Amino acid sequence: MKKTLKFSMLSLMTFLAFCGLFLFSLPCMINNADAEITESTADISISTPEGLSSFITNYSESTSNHTVLLTRDIDMSGYSVENTIGTSEIPFTGIFDGNGHTISNLSINFSNTTEDYIVPSYLGLFGVTNGATILDLKISGVTNITVSNSPNILDVGILVGKAQNTTIENCDINATLNYVDNKNQEGINEENKGIKTINAGGYVGELVDSTIKNSLYRPDSRNGASSFSLSSIFKRDAKFGGIAGIVQNSTILFVVSAPRLSVEIASENFTGTTYIGGIFGTISQGNSKVINCVVEPTITINNSYNKTIYSGAIGGYISLPAPYENNISYVYYNSNLLAFGDASNYNANNNVTSVSDTIATHVAEAGSDYAGARDYFEAKNWNGLYGDHWDFANTFIIQDNNIDLQAFQGEFAIRVTTSSVSVDDNIIILLNSDGTVPPNSNNELEFTSGYNDTVQIKFKFNASVNEMIGRYYSLSSLTLRSGETRTVASFREDNGEYRLETRDDYERISMEAPTTNNEGETIYTITISGITNNYTGLYQLNIVANEFVGRFEYRLFAKNGDPVDDIAKTECYVYNKTGGNQTSQSYTVFDMTYNNSYTIATRAGSRSIYEFRGWYLETDDGEDTPLSSPDEGTENVFSNSDLAFTFGKDKFALTEDFVVYAKYVDNSCEITFDFDEGIERIVISTNEDAITTTGTTIKVKKQSNVKMELYLKEDYSFDVQRFLDIVSIYKGVCERVDDGSNARYYQFNLDMTQLNDPSFNDVLNLSFETEVEDTTDWTLIWTIVGSLIGGLALIAIIIVVVVVVKRRKGGGGGGRTRKASYKNMYY
């Protein structure tokens, strides 16, 4: 019994292991045909022609609803497939993402001559799609579709044979369809000959309940035209369109179509009607729309048998039920054809316009309202219903005046840098995607991305200046330099962290919640999801210095320390020493920023009684902070009135607006002047008005040199020495006399600093006494007296001389005696 139990357990374990191995190996068995296909429940990635060929050949219901992703361009030259992606029995219902890659030179061959071989009715890279999405796919070169033994109805397209409930967007077909029907094969399904019909388009043979938008069709002219030869095997109607052969209840929006179609009626036995158009062969159903489209068709028709053909630049035929009014609108075509071969009763004249110039390669002409192809497509009258417009930011691109799709522009370059700031270290440090600091980046990074890729910009703040963020610096904006500099987002600080507010045109830019690394640093990440040409260029993370307002003023204080009310406001000045107005009573810096240096100066007027006592920072608590110190060895004496500082450092590490004031204290002496009538006036150099009234009291600053001038009235004298014996504050004195008068004035240089003794009560009385001078003119008196004395003396002398002479004449009588005496006088 134990042996049986042991054997049973061993057998069960072996079976389970085998089942697990089988299940594990199943995906490998499925993909064994081509290891280049990476399959999961979510998607299939294809990167080689072998992988694509295998996917098409082995298409089945198990892969019909997958997301298929191309990861490289694929050239199918040398490969031929005998199947399509999707059939009428198993339509493709998933997502085929070309991812901006190209499939070129595709060949589909349904010419197998085996009698029981059944050719499908729907031919193209995709046979039938239903509920599918095809996007960002480019097909180029020549697509060869070869058939024989074909069914009665053929839907042929380079991309899809028949598309139902399907969205095709951002696709670019730059290929020519080479369709060959080996009609001359004998012995195979002879009953099908002569009853066939064909619907063919550059994109889709038959478009039902579907949408084609933001797409281009313009085959390379080197590959020739898409040619269709309608022989005797075709006896039903044939429909050919640049985009689709038949359009039913579908939308074609923002499409450029420049097809080259060549249709030949090759047999007189062809009995059907042919419809040819630059966008569609035929269109029907009320909800069908063709809006905002550009058409430049080249249509060649060989109708040597004079069969019925309707050809138009836009469409061959608008059949009933016709689209609703205005559903064919804002369509511009360049062709010598009419817009429609047959419009029946449909009024299709709403902005369906023929233009003479080449639309897709438009170049502005002199006097044109458009500067180039981009402006031409973005002009208002090109934009149709629903507020849509040609999107050259995210979908289309103009290069060499040709309109292209951004999905196929290859790699996009994105660079990131930071704005320079006036600090020693970079405030923002850019990081690699793994959070590390890139070496030698000079704080600039470059990313290479493809269309619709996601790019993450990581950064942190320098630890040495991290504390300044939010205090002295802030993240301000994210700008993009791409042709012109645009602000694409602004930063807002929210509880110490930043969030991003993007502009409407850049809604793909977002900012994630910050994270913290192992060093405790905050890491910020900006995500750009879905790169397009509009999102490429140089991004700059901009830091701005927070601006503060610094007001500098002076304040007056009395001797007791109390503030003085607003008086004598012209006595003191505060100014910017490096170029400010030196007569300003205050100075304000409105844009004060971190690490910038300033020098503010103050001075007192020449007549001011106030003395500078230092700079103070005003605080809310009233205990204002001193910013300068008195000179060494002195008290309250400041020889330097300049305030030099660097904002953000030391005592100026402030984070809000502030007020700094220069403190001035009353340092005056009250002088009372007493004088008599002999004083005309007294002039003090620090006082504006002369003193003319005795008992006048003025305030004089106690400074080292105060000039005092004493003016005397005429005929008065002043005893200077006596005054100097009483007043001990003079430095020197000189006496001056006015020319032309007897008035005098005296000039004193008073050294008021001698009154700084604390015992001095700052009151000084100066008394001046004069004397009246004797102004009698003694010169005249003495002249008169002298003249009288001189006259009397002269008279006396005259009298003496007369008496003497007379005596001589009468002394000896006459005769000989007198003569002898006379002679003796003269000889």
Side-chain angles (χ1 to χ4, degrees):
M1 182 68 182
K2 290 184 178 180
K3 290 183 179 181
T4 304
L5 180 61
K6 181 182 293 186
F7 177 79
S8 300
M9 292 295 294
L10 182 60
S11 300
L12 178 61
M13 292 176 64
T14 303
F15 176 77
L16 291 175
F18 175 80
C19 292
L21 180 62
F22 175 81
L23 293 174
F24 179 81
S25 304
L26 184 59
C28 299
M29 295 171 63
I30 294 175
N31 290 321
N32 189 46
D34 186 0
E36 294 297 334
I37 301 178
T38 303
E39 182 178 351
S40 69
T41 57
D43 60 77
I44 299 173
S45 296
I46 301 176
S47 60
T48 64
E50 294 85 359
L52 180 59
S53 178
S54 175
F55 176 73
I56 296 174
T57 300
N58 297 292
Y59 175 82
S60 65
E61 189 172 0
S62 65
T63 57
S64 62
N65 194 32
H66 278 288
T67 295
V68 181
L69 181 70
L70 293 188
T71 58
R72 296 182 64 182
D73 292 344
I74 296 176
D75 186 354
M76 296 297 291
S77 298
Y79 292 83
S80 179
V81 296
E82 298 180 358
N83 201 355
T84 61
I85 304 173
T87 64
S88 56
E89 294 81 11
I90 308 174
F92 180 74
T93 60
I95 298 173
F96 195 96
D97 186 354
N99 195 27
H101 293 295
T102 302
I103 297 175
S104 57
N105 302 315
L106 179 66
S107 291
I108 304 173
N109 190 349
F110 291 103
S111 60
N112 193 309
T113 58
T114 303
E115 187 171 345
D116 60 354
Y117 184 80
I118 299 175
V119 175
S121 297
Y122 309 105
L123 307 177
L125 174 63
F126 296 84
V128 178
T129 61
N130 194 337
T133 298
I134 304 172
L135 72 158
D136 295 343
L137 175 64
K138 184 174 184 178
I139 298 179
S140 68
V142 177
T143 297
N144 293 293
I145 299 180
T146 305
V147 299
S148 63
N149 196 23
S150 57
N152 293 343
I153 300 175
L154 281 174
D155 286 342
V156 181
I158 294 176
L159 185 60
V160 185
K162 181 177 182 179
Q164 290 182 291
N165 299 307
T166 297
T167 297
I168 301 171
E169 61 179 314
N170 293 355
C171 289
D172 186 352
I173 295 182
N174 191 14
T176 298
L177 175 61
N178 183 19
Y179 171 79
V180 177
D181 195 320
N182 294 322
K183 53 187 176 297
N184 294 322
Q185 289 190 10
E186 300 293 336
I188 301 176
N189 287 346
E190 292 291 330
E191 67 274 11
N192 286 336
K193 288 186 177 181
I195 58 175
K196 294 181 182 179
T197 185
I198 184 170
N199 307 309
Y203 269 73
V204 180
E206 186 175 356
L207 189 70
V208 181
D209 300 324
S210 298
T211 297
I212 299 177
K213 64 179 180 180
N214 298 339
S215 296
L216 309 176
Y217 177 63
R218 60 265 174 93
D220 190 333
S221 60
R222 294 172 295 182
N223 296 327
S226 297
S227 300
F228 300 91
S229 179
L230 301 177
S231 63
S232 60
I233 67 169
F234 292 100
K235 288 190 176 180
R236 297 183 182 179
D237 295 345
K239 306 174 183 68
F240 305 101
I243 301 298
I246 294 176
V247 176
Q248 295 180 357
N249 204 39
S250 297
T251 297
I252 298 175
L253 183 67
F254 293 107
V255 166
V256 174
S257 178
R260 280 180 297 280
L261 298 173
S262 177
V263 178
E264 176 188 14
I265 307 298
S267 172
E268 185 178 6
N269 295 326
F270 174 74
T271 57
T273 302
T274 304
Y275 304 96
I276 308 172
I279 294 181
F280 56 82
T282 64
I283 189 171
S284 63
Q285 305 300 320
N287 284 326
S288 290
K289 300 180 181 68
V290 178
I291 297 174
N292 275 1
C293 292
V294 178
V295 188
E296 291 187 294
T298 301
I299 299 176
T300 303
I301 301 174
N302 185 352
N303 188 15
S304 58
Y305 295 102
N306 295 319
K307 300 299 180 178
T308 302
I309 297 177
Y310 295 101
S311 62
I314 299 173
Y317 178 62
I318 300 178
S319 57
L320 298 176
Y324 299 134
E325 185 179 0
N326 297 330
N327 272 13
I328 303 179
S329 300
Y330 300 93
V331 182
Y332 291 74
Y333 64 95
N334 177 302
S335 176
N336 56 1
L337 297 172
L338 295 175
F340 305 99
D342 184 358
S344 298
N345 295 320
Y346 181 76
N347 180 14
N349 294 315
N350 183 48
N351 287 314
V352 175
T353 306
S354 174
V355 293
S356 60
D357 56 354
T358 302
I359 301 171
T361 58
H362 176 78
V363 180
E365 300 175 356
S368 172
D369 292 335
Y370 310 112
R374 175 168 179 158
D375 288 340
Y376 194 64
F377 276 86
E378 288 185 329
K380 182 178 180 181
N381 65 329
W382 281 77
N383 296 328
L385 307 179
Y386 320 115
D388 292 325
H389 61 280
W390 288 89
D391 186 359
F392 286 89
N394 301 306
T395 303
F396 297 100
I397 188 173
I398 294 293
Q399 290 192 339
D400 300 325
N401 281 325
N402 281 306
I403 182 171
D404 293 307
L405 289 168
Q406 295 189 39
F408 311 106
Q409 296 306 305
E411 294 180 336
F412 293 94
I414 293 178
R415 292 181 296 133
V416 187
T417 186
T418 60
S419 61
S420 58
V421 291
S422 58
V423 292
D424 296 335
D425 301 309
N426 290 320
I427 285 186
I428 295 179
I429 298 178
L430 300 174
L431 304 174
N432 291 321
S433 58
D434 59 0
T436 60
V437 179
N440 305 320
S441 68
N442 292 324
N443 223 33
E444 181 172 328
L445 293 180
E446 183 166 347
F447 303 89
T448 300
S449 66
Y451 178 75
N452 266 337
D453 280 354
T454 296
V455 170
Q456 288 188 327
I457 302 171
K458 293 181 178 290
F459 65 93
K460 66 179 181 179
F461 295 121
N462 190 309
S464 64
V465 295
N466 193 53
E467 62 182 18
M468 302 176 191
I469 300 299
R471 299 179 64 194
Y472 298 118
Y473 290 99
S474 296
L475 274 171
S476 64
S477 61
L478 180 67
T479 56
L480 174 58
R481 300 178 184 177
S482 181
E484 58 180 317
T485 300
R486 302 178 183 178
T487 299
V488 298
S490 299
F491 290 96
R492 293 290 181 268
E493 195 171 1
D494 189 9
N495 295 325
E497 295 179 350
Y498 285 95
R499 57 185 175 88
L500 203 63
E501 294 182 356
T502 56
R503 303 295 172 89
D504 293 340
D505 293 341
Y506 294 89
E507 70 279 354
R508 300 184 187 184
I509 299 177
S510 61
M511 191 167 184
E512 301 175 6
T515 59
T516 303
N517 62 12
N518 295 333
E519 288 74 29
E521 298 172 316
T522 302
I523 306 300
Y524 293 91
T525 303
I526 296 174
T527 300
I528 308 174
S529 58
I531 298 297
T532 64
N533 183 68
N534 193 45
Y535 286 82
T536 60
L538 175 63
Y539 285 87
Q540 180 169 290
L541 288 164
N542 296 300
I543 283 284
V544 295
N546 294 340
E547 295 185 351
F548 298 85
V549 176
R551 177 176 174 81
F552 302 87
E553 59 185 32
Y554 72 89
R555 295 182 184 178
L556 306 178
F557 292 84
K559 295 179 182 295
N560 61 5
D562 293 336
V564 177
D565 293 337
D566 292 341
I567 61 172
K569 278 295 185 182
T570 59
E571 292 190 359
C572 303
Y573 308 99
V574 176
Y575 54 93
N576 178 8
K577 192 173 183 180
T578 60
N581 184 357
Q582 296 191 14
T583 61
S584 299
Q585 295 180 33
S586 64
Y587 181 72
T588 302
V589 182
F590 290 98
D591 54 354
M592 185 163 288
T593 55
Y594 176 81
N595 209 42
N596 281 346
S597 297
Y598 306 86
T599 301
I600 310 299
T602 184
R603 64 182 178 86
S606 59
R607 300 179 185 273
S608 175
I609 64 171
Y610 293 95
E611 182 178 71
F612 175 67
R613 295 293 178 85
W615 291 97
Y616 286 82
L617 173 66
E618 185 183 76
T619 58
D620 295 335
D621 59 7
E623 298 294 330
D624 298 341
T625 303
L627 300 176
S628 54
S629 302
D631 295 341
E632 185 177 355
T634 62
E635 183 179 358
N636 294 334
V637 177
F638 295 81
S639 60
N640 187 3
S641 59
D642 295 349
L643 178 64
F645 64 94
T646 300
F647 183 72
K649 297 184 178 180
D650 301 327
K651 294 182 179 179
F652 278 86
L654 309 173
T655 57
E656 57 185 11
D657 298 343
F658 61 91
V659 176
V660 168
Y661 62 87
K663 183 176 182 179
Y664 282 90
V665 176
D666 187 340
N667 186 38
S668 65
C669 169
E670 291 187 356
I671 303 179
T672 300
F673 296 89
D674 292 326
F675 51 84
D676 55 25
E677 60 182 7
I679 303 298
E680 180 183 87
R681 67 184 184 277
I682 299 174
V683 176
I684 300 296
S685 60
T686 58
N687 194 53
E688 294 183 358
D689 300 323
I691 300 166
T692 58
T693 303
T694 184
T696 299
T697 299
I698 65 170
K699 282 189 174 184
V700 176
K701 185 176 182 179
K702 292 186 290 184
Q703 57 191 23
S704 60
N705 185 15
V706 175
K707 183 173 71 175
M708 180 180 70
E709 293 179 336
L710 182 69
Y711 289 84
L712 272 63
K713 293 180 180 178
E714 194 173 353
D715 299 332
Y716 283 86
S717 62
F718 174 66
D719 190 343
V720 175
Q721 189 58 47
R722 180 185 175 189
F723 175 75
L724 295 180
D725 291 341
I726 299 173
V727 179
S728 60
I729 62 174
Y730 75 96
K731 293 178 66 176
V733 64
C734 64
E735 177 183 357
R736 298 182 182 179
V737 179
D738 291 336
D739 296 336
S741 71
N742 291 328
R744 297 180 177 84
Y745 80 90
Y746 298 87
Q747 178 176 303
F748 300 89
N749 288 321
L750 305 180
D751 184 6
M752 304 300 292
T753 58
Q754 298 183 39
L755 303 180
N756 286 331
D757 189 329
S759 62
F760 179 65
N761 59 6
D762 292 339
V763 176
L764 180 64
N765 293 316
L766 294 181
S767 298
F768 304 91
E769 295 182 359
T770 61
E771 295 179 355
V772 178
E773 290 188 333
D774 185 2
T775 59
T776 303
D777 192 354
W778 292 101
T779 302
L780 179 59
I781 295 174
W782 284 110
T783 300
I784 294 174
V785 172
S787 298
L788 290 175
I789 295 174
L792 293 174
L794 180 59
I795 293 173
I797 292 172
I798 293 173
I799 292 174
V800 172
V801 171
V802 172
V803 171
V804 171
V805 170
K806 284 183 177 183
R807 285 182 177 177
R808 287 182 178 176
K809 287 182 179 182
R816 294 182 180 181
T817 305
R818 291 185 180 176
K819 289 181 182 180
S821 298
Y822 178 79
K823 291 179 179 180
N824 288 334
M825 287 178 71
Y826 292 97
Y827 295 103

